[in-house]
Amino acid sequence: MKINRHYLQLPENYLFSEVAKRTRQFQTQHPDVSVIKLSIGDVSRPLPMVVVQAMKQACREQGYAKTFHGYGPEIGYPWLRNAIANFYQQQSKIKIDPDEIIISDGAKSDLANLLDIFDTRATVAMCDPVYPVYLESNLMLGRTPQFFRATAANDLLPLPDEQITADIIYLCNPANPMGVCYQREQLKQWVDFARTRQAIILYDAAYACFIHDPNLPRSIYEIDGARECAIEICSFSKMAGFTGMRCGYTVVPKTLVTADGISLNQLWRRRQTTKFNGVSYVVQRGAEAVFTPTGLNAIQQNIAYYQRNVQLICRTLNKLHWSYVGGVHSPYVWIRCPGMRSAWECFDFLLQETGIVFTPGIGFGSAGENYIRLTGFNSYRNTQRACRRLLNLQQNKKH
Ligand code: PLP
């Protein structure tokens, strides 16, 4: 059997499976401890009621011949693509043609599947540490990426440099796992760099909804020249609590063309119409309701809820004098391992001593070796309990 042997290059366990395995072992050994998970980036707030109502209505429609919907357009219904284009106009004052927006079942699939439209010999560059999907989807295709390292020396916000020679550059802003966010001028450097090199930026904006400073760009298309070099990948997951519903979208500007005039928008549509049959009608109706005034208000409240959690985490870390970044325009806090332990050592130590599940930074790349990540996605009550446990840990150490 001729299998794809590149799969054998993948780390044996996907990061979160290993975290889950160690957590299960701990729970079996300590059934009396209630474990608090501040690790995986899954939301905890329920869907806004307006979204639920829209989906209920859509379900009812599916029960009657007159209103039944079978296969929809593979790239998404026009009413949802129009609603997203309006949102860009309102939020970032930029014009995106609804035909440039292609609906999907989430950012993860698009980030991996977009590789289909590039030459198999195209080279890639990405940050270290990085959201593991960028790396692993490339390893599966036999590509060895270049890395640009996020370190304390560059404030965990690497900028382009001559060493980067790749055709495809992944950027995640606000960054997962570091929780930091590029300034407008810094993103401009990336756009100018990509244009000069004729490289393409795959811009992951899954956490853009956490940016609350109007001076920071929420979309790469707020930067001049980005329409000529960037594809933006977005998600309803963190923005509107759709992690379990599955919906996202990717913007491929019509102005994105190869030197010989081939449109990337056309290629991506072609790929999606062949290999994907669209997101369910019910879920797309739910996503459309996110953009109603009631929907937008509800998602803002949920985002504010997570931001309150993150602020509490940051205040606690300040009290503990632990060094960290992030947590301002992001649900993530990236913490330097206290006591200079390695990431997995720190993970195991904190799990044993506090029953809190962190994410070890090494799971995101070698530059994460001395870091652990926390998220503000749990409930406020659990976040408070976790913070108390961390403060107690410090107290106990003193006695
Ligand atoms: N991009 C980043 C940086 C993420 O952290 C995640 C999920 O955690 C995703 C994409 C996946 O988003 P989706 O749920 O839309 O597949």
Side-chain angles (χ1 to χ4, degrees):
M1 274 179 268
K2 290 200 170 166
I3 55 157
N4 179 350
R5 297 212 155 248
H6 297 309
Y7 277 57
L8 309 181
Q9 301 293 314
L10 299 172
E12 203 186 314
N13 249 313
Y14 183 64
L15 169 64
F16 292 109
S17 330
E18 182 61 26
V19 168
K21 194 177 100 191
R22 293 192 190 203
T23 308
R24 270 196 310 276
Q25 275 167 0
F26 173 80
Q27 276 177 314
T28 315
Q29 288 156 5
H30 304 90
D32 49 319
V33 179
S34 87
V35 165
I36 305 174
K37 292 182 186 161
L38 299 185
S39 47
I40 193 165
D42 197 359
V43 293
S44 56
R45 304 292 301 151
L47 290 170
M49 217 18 95
V50 66
V51 169
V52 175
Q53 294 299 354
M55 289 197 292
K56 270 179 155 174
Q57 168 65 25
C59 276
R60 260 194 304 273
E61 287 174 34
Q62 293 296 73
Y64 298 94
K66 264 193 175 164
T67 48
F68 172 75
H69 289 77
Y71 289 125
E74 292 91 342
I75 61 160
Y77 284 98
W79 33 261
L80 178 55
R81 292 187 287 111
N82 285 333
I84 295 167
N86 285 338
F87 180 64
Y88 269 103
Q89 180 72 53
Q90 277 167 23
Q91 176 199 256
S92 301
K93 310 280 174 283
I94 45 178
K95 200 165 165 41
I96 304 284
D97 182 335
D99 287 342
E100 297 177 320
I101 297 167
I102 293 129
I103 310 296
S104 71
D105 64 350
K108 186 178 189 174
S109 333
D110 282 5
L111 283 158
N113 294 336
L114 273 163
L115 295 172
D116 274 9
I117 67 169
F118 296 100
D119 191 314
T120 48
R121 289 158 305 179
T123 50
V124 296
M126 59 189 67
C127 188
D128 174 6
V130 73
Y131 175 50
V133 174
Y134 310 165
L135 170 63
E136 296 193 0
S137 53
N138 275 284
L139 291 179
M140 284 171 172
L141 295 174
R143 285 203 186 97
T144 310
Q146 286 181 347
F147 291 102
F148 40 92
R149 282 169 74 86
T151 60
N154 55 26
D155 293 331
L156 296 134
L157 285 165
L159 290 169
D161 69 57
E162 294 306 310
Q163 318 265 309
I164 304 169
T165 53
D167 303 302
I168 303 170
I169 300 167
Y170 287 84
L171 290 183
C172 182
N173 193 47
N176 180 12
M178 298 87 81
V180 288
C181 190
Y182 281 112
Q183 300 285 325
R184 203 171 284 274
E185 311 74 57
Q186 295 174 314
L187 267 191
K188 176 80 176 130
Q189 288 187 41
W190 278 109
V191 167
D192 290 347
F193 179 80
R195 289 186 74 193
T196 322
R197 306 293 178 107
Q198 298 194 337
I200 182 118
I201 296 176
L202 298 183
Y203 185 81
D204 184 347
Y207 297 95
C209 56
F210 284 90
I211 299 177
H212 49 81
D213 177 347
N215 294 318
L216 295 174
R218 280 195 170 186
S219 162
I220 194 153
Y221 303 119
E222 292 179 40
I223 310 295
D224 275 349
R227 285 182 59 86
E228 278 70 43
C229 67
I231 293 179
E232 180 160 294
I233 299 102
C234 305
S235 169
F236 286 90
S237 286
K238 316 297 157 102
M239 174 204 194
F242 271 54
T243 51
M245 302 308 305
R246 311 306 309 143
C247 197
Y249 55 94
T250 284
V251 182
V252 190
K254 289 181 182 167
T255 38
L256 207 50
V257 283
T258 60
D260 53 345
I262 298 164
S263 153
L264 271 68
N265 179 292
Q266 287 303 321
L267 291 185
W268 181 236
R269 283 162 171 262
R270 190 71 184 84
R271 191 268 171 211
Q272 288 299 80
T273 46
T274 300
K275 293 199 181 178
F276 184 59
N277 248 343
V279 178
S280 87
Y281 172 70
V282 174
V283 169
Q284 288 192 63
R285 278 295 184 202
E288 185 193 26
V290 167
F291 299 107
T292 58
T294 323
L296 289 173
N297 186 31
I299 63 167
Q300 273 320 318
Q301 285 182 27
N302 284 346
I303 291 165
Y305 179 96
Y306 299 131
Q307 273 170 333
R308 183 171 167 232
N309 289 348
V310 165
Q311 283 159 10
L312 177 60
I313 292 172
C314 292
R315 281 201 303 276
T316 306
L317 297 175
N318 291 341
K319 283 185 195 154
L320 293 168
H321 302 291
W322 288 8
S323 161
Y324 67 92
V325 292
V328 182
H329 302 290
S330 166
Y332 296 121
V333 189
W334 187 239
I335 306 164
R336 183 105 197 153
C337 292
M340 298 309 286
R341 289 187 186 88
S342 75
W344 277 116
E345 270 169 11
C346 194
F347 169 91
D348 287 331
F349 172 80
L350 289 167
L351 182 59
Q352 292 297 328
E353 297 295 319
T354 65
I356 304 169
V357 186
F358 289 65
T359 306
I362 185 72
F364 300 98
S366 61
E369 171 56 10
N370 295 113
Y371 290 87
I372 44 174
R373 192 194 70 175
L374 276 187
T375 88
F377 280 128
N378 210 312
S379 67
Y380 186 63
R381 192 166 165 270
N382 277 343
T383 310
Q384 273 181 317
R385 286 171 61 217
C387 288
R388 268 198 300 272
R389 288 188 196 178
L390 286 174
L391 291 171
N392 284 342
L393 174 72
Q394 183 88 339
Q395 286 296 323
N396 295 343
K397 243 176 57 188
K398 281 192 190 142
H399 297 299

